[in-house]
């Protein structure tokens, strides 16, 4: 169950980084508020997950999945590059996240 909470925290991390980008340096109040809400949700969910999961593993999975989600979102929504090196290293992050999950 805590792994699902941790994945939800990573999705919230995606939300807060996307909203932060859309806030235009916190000039757009709507996206600034959404940034604050989603970053708070992300950290709250992470705090729940680390009650039972090892801190280092939970933090690495949270940031690793957040990174993968952000890169994929950037590729598909913001039309960022799909350079093979970017995809390969993102795959390595995912392998690391899976390895940490299996080791916990």
């Amino acid at each position: 169950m805590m792994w699902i909470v941790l994945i939800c925290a990573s999705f919230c991390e995606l939300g807060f980084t996307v909203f932060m980008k859309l806030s235009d340096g916190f000039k757009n109040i709507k996206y600034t508020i959404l940034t604050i809400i989603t970053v708070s949700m992300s950290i709250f969910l992470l705090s729940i997950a680390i009650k039972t999961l090892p801190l280092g593993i939970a933090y690495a999975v949270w940031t690793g999945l957040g990174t993968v989600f952000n890169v994929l979102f950037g590729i598909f929504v913001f039309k960022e590059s799909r350079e093979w090196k970017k995809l390969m290293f993102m795959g390595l992050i995912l392998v690391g996240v899976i390895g940490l999950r299996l080791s916990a």
Side-chain angles (χ1 to χ4, degrees):
M1 182 65 177
M2 284 303 128
W3 289 103
I4 294 170
V5 171
L6 190 56
I7 291 169
C8 291
S10 295
F11 272 117
C12 290
E13 185 179 2
L14 166 64
F16 91 73
T17 53
V18 169
F19 292 139
M20 187 168 48
K21 177 178 176 64
L22 296 174
S23 76
D24 189 31
F26 300 118
K27 293 176 193 163
N28 183 319
I29 191 69
K30 177 176 86 171
Y31 289 115
T32 299
I33 291 169
L34 288 171
T35 300
I36 293 166
I37 290 169
T38 52
V39 74
S40 299
M41 288 172 45
S42 182
I43 292 171
F44 174 73
L45 291 171
L46 176 62
S47 74
I48 291 172
I50 62 174
K51 287 181 181 180
T52 57
L53 298 175
L55 174 63
I57 291 175
Y59 183 76
V61 169
W62 178 64
T63 57
L65 286 179
T67 300
V68 169
F69 296 153
N70 275 287
V71 170
L72 291 174
F73 194 88
I75 288 171
F76 291 111
V77 176
F78 294 127
K79 306 300 182 207
E80 295 175 358
S81 75
R82 298 173 190 229
E83 187 178 349
W84 70 270
K85 288 185 269 186
K86 179 191 284 189
L87 298 175
M88 179 187 71
F89 288 119
M90 187 178 59
L92 290 173
I93 292 171
L94 200 51
V95 167
V97 166
I98 292 167
L100 287 170
R101 166 59 182 104
L102 295 174
S103 71

